[in-house]
Amino acid sequence: MVTSTDSPRQRLRDTIVDAARARTVAAGWDAVRMGGVATAAGVSRQTVYNEFGSKAGLAEALARSEVDRFVGDVRDALLAHDSDVRAGAYAAIARTLSTAADNPLVKAILTSARGGSDELLPYLTTRAEVVLTEASGALIDWAGDHLPGADQAALAFAADTVVRLVVSHIVLPREPIEETATALADLAVRLFSAAATARR
């Protein structure tokens, strides 16, 4: 999202990423070309290359943009429930799953992957360290505030485990969102509780 405090370069990058997102949603990542993104963004093809280096670099920036959206939603859901760990975990997981299910970019990525192309999919799966790092960080920050004295290594493991499971259910959903969120929230509580008592 562009704000008045963004630098001109950041606004340029955001415009290009938005154009790439729109083209991916419309035609799939395989159909995205740097020249087409440049035209849609109103800049030169060389400008796109200067900013992102390659199509892979643009893919990473596109994934980063989506991660920022998700992580912002996760933080909002967690904070809305203050110290209620179970309610916060459920709200964050349910919101993430429902947002992903309704996200046209995620749908475009998964559709192309099922058709035999997975060029963009890895950025939203376990090979995407940015996803795991940012989402886990949100959980660690929140849990750390409400579980003072928790073992940090155990807390980090708990957050990483929960995030990996949520991502796996985004990529390959099995049960209704409410059921999945309930099961994962229960697991999150057990893992966070174990972290809180690890040093006692």
Side-chain angles (χ1 to χ4, degrees):
M1 180 181 295
V2 177
T3 69
S4 60
T5 59
D6 289 330
S7 67
R9 182 179 180 188
Q10 187 58 54
R11 289 196 293 272
L12 170 64
R13 290 176 65 86
D14 289 344
T15 297
I16 295 171
V17 168
D18 287 346
R21 185 180 194 277
R23 294 184 73 81
T24 301
V25 169
W29 180 249
D30 282 354
V32 172
R33 298 291 181 267
M34 300 292 265
V37 171
T39 299
V43 300
S44 70
R45 185 169 178 268
Q46 189 58 49
T47 296
V48 178
Y49 275 103
N50 288 345
E51 289 299 323
F52 300 100
S54 64
K55 189 178 178 183
L58 181 58
E60 185 171 354
L62 180 56
R64 161 71 71 172
S65 176
E66 291 305 300
V67 169
D68 287 345
R69 293 173 194 262
F70 278 117
V71 172
D73 283 346
V74 167
R75 289 188 185 276
D76 288 345
L78 292 171
L79 293 175
H81 293 277
D82 194 28
S83 60
D84 189 333
V85 175
R86 172 62 173 69
Y90 176 85
I93 293 167
R95 181 180 295 188
T96 299
L97 292 173
S98 60
T99 299
D102 294 333
N103 187 305
L105 178 61
V106 172
K107 287 182 178 179
I109 293 169
L110 296 181
T111 299
S112 64
R114 288 167 187 155
S117 172
D118 67 351
E119 186 178 356
L120 190 56
L121 181 62
Y123 291 98
L124 294 179
T125 61
T126 54
R127 280 153 48 195
E129 288 304 314
V130 64
V131 176
L132 301 176
T133 299
E134 296 293 336
S136 294
L139 277 177
I140 291 170
D141 290 346
W142 170 75
D145 288 341
H146 300 297
L147 299 171
D151 181 271
Q152 290 303 302
L155 194 62
F157 176 79
D160 182 73
T161 298
V162 171
V163 170
R164 287 177 186 272
L165 287 171
V166 171
V167 171
S168 73
H169 282 280
I170 289 174
V171 175
L172 190 63
R174 295 184 61 184
E175 305 295 337
I177 287 173
E178 294 78 8
E179 292 181 24
T180 300
T182 295
L184 292 180
D186 289 342
L187 176 61
V189 169
R190 288 196 291 272
L191 291 172
F192 288 142
S193 296
T197 59
R199 289 184 173 177
R200 296 177 185 175

